[in-house]
Every structure is written in structure tokens, then in C-alpha cells.
Amino acid sequence: MSNKKNISMREIAKLCNVSIATVSRVMNNESNVSNETRKKVLQVMEEYNYQIKDNYYHIENPKNSIGVILASSQSDYYTHVQRHVTLYFLNKGIDVIHYNVEDNPNIESKALNALYRAKVDGLVMISCHSDAINDITNYTIPTVWIDSNDKNLMKSNSLWVTSDHYVSGQMAASEFILKGCKNPLIITGPYKSIRQSQRNQGFIDSFKEIGIEISKDHIVTVPSINDPFTETKDLVKYLYIKGLRFDCIFVVNDWRALGAMIGLQQLNIRVPEQVKIIGYDGISLASKSIFNITSIRQNTELIARSACELLWNKINDEEITENHIIIPTDLVQGQTT
């Protein structure tokens, strides 16, 4: 027997290219492991002189916890997704460890390392910066990404779930075009992402199909996320006073859409008679309040459940037929169109 230093279950899983759950099944002599995989795990255990604790066998559920990193709690959409993720695993008797990193990649990396030290069995990354933390990401830990389809995650073996952002942009544009709008304005968030780019492109392409080109000065980025409502209210007033004219606005989320509406009303611009507005998310008080913002709604429950099922199947070495899942959105009619 080898005199090599004893290693952890996680390291055994990495060496064998299997999940920790599979190593656990081998140690518990469970039947639902292929002979080839069982032989590979046992060989590594023997090579590294892995010592199994006497009280390890017959653990009914070796899966102890799931880590969740939420990039930002500024949006109602993300907190809804996080809630559904938490309930999914708590209902299975699995503990959930949360970190909210508020769009800070440095804190994100610290949170990720903390979850690795906690030996979580899987990770749910919500709107995280996969490209920024690629160097420290441990790909042997089952991980699913929600709304984080950065370039790094275009790999075929990554697991991610997101809304259909391109079609969402088309949907918003179609509603405006149906109502006779010809001079659109896009208000985007301060952080660039593939998702936002896809949404904008779907919107731009739809107007282009009817011969309307959206100029660069009609695609405006808000400066920060300290106070989305006030920032967008003041921005719309500034743009209009400056002389920029538009008859419809597609806004990055519902709270900013509400800010845009109030800003126009303060200038005595009637919504929707003179300017129509569509937000994005469709689940916040901004779209459900008495103001009733028209919005593209994301299905937070289906997004969360799809991601959790992907992760659960990965942890349990079950077949995954589709690594990348795109969830449809729908238009919620309100009083702003």
C-alpha cells in the first residue's frame, strides 16, 4: 500500500472525475454505481491510503449543504429567484448557505472560497461574474449559474439557466410598434452583460425590420445603482429638457421604468398618450402597484426550479439531457402602453 499522504473525499472525486456523492456511494457500498467507476474510486483510495472513518457508513443523506451566491439584491427579480432556490433545497432537508456580494467581484471570490471551505455539495450562482472568478472556480464542485451566461459559460459542459432575453427585446419592440411608436429610447443598466446585450439587440432588430434605426444617442446607460428610481427619473427629465425626443422607452427593470414615468409626469408629459413605457422583470411592486407598469415578466419560479433540478441531478450523477436552459418570458399589460 502506498505511503502517499491521505487526501480528502473532494480530492478523490477530482482525481476520478466524479462527484463527491459518487465517492460517498462507493464508500457506503451502494449498488447504484457502475463497476468501472467503483473500481476507479477504490484504486485511488488505496493508492493514497485513504482511511474511512468508522462512523461514516450508513449515512442516509451524505449531502449536507448547498451554497448560494447572489450578485445583487437591488432587483426584486433576483431576491425572488433566491427565495425559490432556498425553498427547493430546504424542502429536501438540505441546508442553504447564502452570500450576497452586491456586484463586487472581489467579495464574490471571497464568498466562493468560503463556500469551498465549508465543503458544500453544490453551488447556485445568481447573476455572478463567471469570467472574473474563473481562475478560482473549482469545476469538480457541481455548480449551476442563473443569469450568468458570460463567455466563460458558453462551454458545453457548464450548467446555466436564463430567460430568453433576445425574444424579450423583440416582444417589447413589437408592443411599441403595434401602438404606432417610431422613436424609441432604450435605458440600460450600469453593468454590461451578454443578457442585456441580447435584450437590446432583439429590440433594435425588431425596429430595424420596419425601417427604423435606433441611434446611439437613443441607447442610454444609467450611471449607478444607488437609487434606481431617482436616477432614472432625473435622467429622463434631463434628456427631455436637453432636447432628445422619444415616444417610447424600454427600461432595464420595473423600478427604473417607474422612475421614467414619474420623471415624464413632472414635465407634464402624458404616459402613455405621448410616451409609452415598458419595464423588465414583471414581479416588483413597481409593476403591480397602482401605477401598473407594462413589463416583460420573467418566470422566477421556473428559472429557480430548472436550475435546482440541474444541480440536483449533477450532484446525484443522474442524466442531464440539456445543460443550457432558456426560459420564455411574457408581456404583462399595464397602464404605460
Side-chain angles (χ1 to χ4, degrees):
M1 186 174 289
S2 171
N3 289 322
K4 292 184 179 180
K5 183 180 178 181
N6 196 28
I7 59 174
S8 67
M9 280 180 59
R10 194 177 302 281
E11 290 168 316
I12 292 173
K14 183 176 181 180
L15 288 169
C16 296
N17 196 27
V18 298
S19 69
I20 296 175
T22 296
V23 175
S24 171
R25 292 191 189 100
V26 173
M27 291 180 180
N28 282 305
N29 198 29
E30 295 179 16
S31 59
N32 55 340
V33 180
S34 69
N35 291 333
E36 182 181 354
T37 298
R38 187 184 305 278
K39 182 178 178 181
K40 182 165 55 175
V41 172
L42 290 174
Q43 284 177 342
V44 171
M45 290 170 59
E46 181 178 0
E47 180 182 355
Y48 283 83
N49 192 24
Y50 185 83
Q51 301 298 318
I52 303 175
K53 297 178 182 179
D54 292 339
N55 63 352
Y56 187 83
Y57 289 99
H58 309 300
I59 296 176
E60 293 183 0
N61 186 4
K63 304 168 203 56
N64 298 314
S65 62
I66 296 295
V68 178
I69 296 182
L70 176 64
S72 174
S73 61
Q74 292 287 341
S75 168
D76 291 343
Y77 161 73
Y78 289 124
T79 54
H80 274 70
V81 171
Q82 182 188 39
R83 176 177 176 272
H84 288 306
V85 168
T86 301
L87 289 176
Y88 179 94
F89 287 109
L90 288 180
N91 286 335
K92 286 184 174 292
I94 308 298
D95 293 335
V96 180
I97 305 173
H98 291 281
Y99 279 94
N100 184 351
V101 298
E102 297 300 345
D103 280 311
N104 187 325
N106 292 327
I107 299 177
E108 192 171 307
S109 62
K110 292 178 180 178
L112 185 57
N113 281 323
L115 290 172
Y116 287 152
R117 290 193 299 271
K119 300 186 184 303
V120 294
D121 299 288
L123 289 164
V124 180
M125 310 288 282
I126 305 175
S127 191
C128 295
H129 310 80
S130 63
D131 292 341
I133 58 176
N134 183 49
D135 290 343
I136 66 167
T137 300
N138 184 347
Y139 290 100
T140 66
I141 308 299
T143 302
V144 63
W145 306 76
I146 296 177
D147 277 350
S148 303
N149 54 335
D150 299 326
K151 292 179 181 178
N152 181 55
L153 291 181
M154 294 300 104
K155 305 169 184 175
S156 60
N157 61 344
S158 64
L159 304 177
W160 54 258
V161 179
T162 189
S163 293
D164 194 331
H165 293 279
Y166 184 83
V167 172
S168 295
Q170 291 180 310
M171 204 178 298
S174 296
E175 175 69 6
F176 285 144
I177 292 168
L178 183 65
K179 298 296 176 64
C181 299
K182 297 181 179 178
N183 195 11
L185 173 69
I186 300 174
I187 297 181
T188 69
Y191 299 107
K192 302 300 181 183
S193 69
I194 291 177
R195 303 182 308 283
Q196 184 171 280
S197 296
Q198 290 173 338
R199 198 184 314 157
N200 290 350
Q201 197 59 54
F203 188 85
I204 292 167
D205 288 348
S206 293
F207 270 98
K208 191 173 182 178
E209 286 178 4
I210 64 168
I212 296 176
E213 296 278 352
I214 300 179
S215 61
K216 290 183 178 179
D217 62 344
H218 277 70
I219 304 174
V220 182
T221 301
V222 286
S224 68
I225 58 169
N226 291 327
D227 182 359
F229 171 84
T230 302
E231 287 165 1
T232 310
K233 173 178 66 68
D234 293 343
L235 172 66
V236 169
K237 290 170 65 176
Y238 168 77
L239 293 174
Y240 202 87
I241 292 171
K242 187 180 177 182
L244 189 69
R245 290 297 177 260
F246 41 85
D247 57 10
C248 61
I249 313 175
F250 185 33
V251 193
V252 69
N253 63 47
D254 293 337
W255 281 113
R256 291 192 182 281
L258 181 58
M261 185 187 79
I262 299 301
L264 290 171
Q265 289 179 341
Q266 289 178 352
L267 294 175
N268 295 317
I269 306 298
R270 298 189 307 278
V271 178
E273 292 82 2
Q274 291 175 272
V275 177
K276 301 179 186 349
I277 300 173
I278 295 178
Y280 199 78
D281 287 344
I283 47 85
S284 70
L285 289 175
S287 61
K288 294 182 177 180
S289 68
I290 58 172
F291 298 106
N292 202 9
I293 301 292
T294 299
S295 181
I296 303 296
R297 178 171 55 193
Q298 300 190 82
N299 192 331
T300 55
E301 184 174 0
L302 182 55
I303 288 170
R305 185 171 72 248
S306 299
C308 291
E309 288 175 352
L310 272 180
L311 183 61
W312 191 245
N313 289 342
K314 183 69 173 178
I315 290 172
N316 289 284
D317 290 327
E318 296 176 2
E319 182 182 4
I320 295 175
T321 58
E322 182 58 62
N323 287 10
H324 304 161
I325 299 177
I326 298 177
I327 305 296
T329 57
D330 65 306
L331 177 74
V332 181
Q333 286 285 356
Q335 298 176 1
T336 58
T337 54

